[in-house]
Amino acid sequence: LRANYAPYMNEKGDLDGIIVLFQDVTEYEKLENMRKEFVANVSHELKTPLTTIKSYTETLLEGAMENQELGKQFLNVIDNEADRMARLVRDLLQLSNADYQQTKWDKKEVDLNYIVEKAVLNLSVSAKNKEQELNYKGLREGVSVWADENRIEQVLLNVISNAIKYTANGGCIDVSLEETQNHATIKITDNGMGIPKEDLPRIFERFYRVDKARSREMGGTGLGLSIAKQIIDVHEGMIKVDSRESGGTAVLIELPLLQEKMCN
Ligand code: ADP
């Protein structure tokens, strides 16, 4: 609680009382702390690859370049770290664009079946590289939703690529699309390493990662799921991550169906 005081004078100029204003600043302080934590996280995430790039470049300049084999190895590290920074900046821009509503959402009637199929196809090579099975069970007819196609595709790419990333070689990933009365439900399940129960409530927070080192190693920024949630929220949908009893992870995405105009 923050308090401000001001004297209250009568017409003669005598002190008549004191005005005390109490302000509840809990919410303000919470936001301020979140902002500080976010800036600290971004700085740290950018600093890590920069430090690596700098030290490898220095070693190259100090003579490591003379050994061609070693030089190439170092350049590869630098290239990977630069890629990581690019991914991070891309994800940050995506978050801030949507935050400030600067991007116009290009919403129109789209067929969800088509979008899910496209995302699955897009990632089938990554799954194949890990000898994983990536199955899609869609619907025969189109499923109409009012959505920004690219954004929803981005959500699916984030979630399905997580399933691929956090599932061992030879694992299995199932994607399905179902229609209930008012909603289209996309389910992405994998039989990978799963997420510990205690981490589930925080999984959509920016930069939250169950295993920071492992996620980094796999090219993760810790922003994929928060971006997914932000996009789904704008579509008035719901996204939920759960552990499967049999092990592995299940992600559920619900989007409102585009209702046909009813007569009467
Ligand atoms: P990242 O870029 O690190 O993958 P995300 O925001 O996409 O970040 O995911 C946050 C964290 O949630 C990941 O670091 C990982 O620990 C965990 N996670 C997400 N999806 C899965 C999954 N399918 N299986 C296991 N863990 C997952």
Side-chain angles (χ1 to χ4, degrees), residues 91 203-209 215 220-226:
D91 284 357
I203 212 72
F204 290 107
E205 285 175 24
R206 293 169 185 192
F207 293 112
Y208 193 80
R209 289 176 279 203
S215 155
T221 61
L223 294 173
L225 282 180
S226 36

Side-chain angles (χ1 to χ4, degrees), residues 158-159 162-163 165-166 190 193-195 203 208-211 215 219-226 249:
N158 287 3
V159 173
N162 273 349
K165 259 196 300 192
Y166 301 109
D190 64 60
M193 62 176 61
I195 301 172
I203 212 72
Y208 193 80
R209 289 176 279 203
V210 176
D211 182 341
S215 155
T221 61
L223 294 173
L225 282 180
S226 36
T249 305

Side-chain angles (χ1 to χ4, degrees), residues 104-170:
K104 285 208 182 85
W105 293 80
D106 184 18
K107 283 190 189 168
K108 49 182 177 240
E109 182 176 353
V110 287
D111 176 8
L112 200 54
N113 209 5
Y114 165 75
I115 306 177
V116 185
E117 223 168 60
K118 207 162 99 184
V120 170
L121 198 69
N122 202 318
L123 289 169
S124 57
V125 178
S126 314
K128 216 177 200 158
N129 285 341
K130 288 186 78 179
E131 288 158 19
Q132 291 168 337
E133 237 182 80
L134 173 59
N135 305 309
Y136 174 50
K137 215 165 83 202
L139 293 168
R140 248 173 233 288
E141 320 92 66
V143 180
S144 286
V145 290
W146 189 252
D148 184 322
E149 182 175 333
N150 290 326
R151 299 296 185 131
I152 297 296
E153 191 181 349
Q154 163 100 57
V155 171
L156 294 166
L157 291 175
N158 287 3
V159 173
I160 304 170
S161 63
N162 273 349
I164 296 173
K165 259 196 300 192
Y166 301 109
T167 299
N169 284 19

Side-chain angles (χ1 to χ4, degrees), residues 170-188:
C172 199
I173 295 133
D174 287 315
V175 182
S176 69
L177 173 63
E178 276 171 31
E179 209 182 299
T180 51
Q181 224 174 11
N182 307 314
H183 288 94
T185 306
I186 307 160
K187 211 163 150 187
I188 299 107

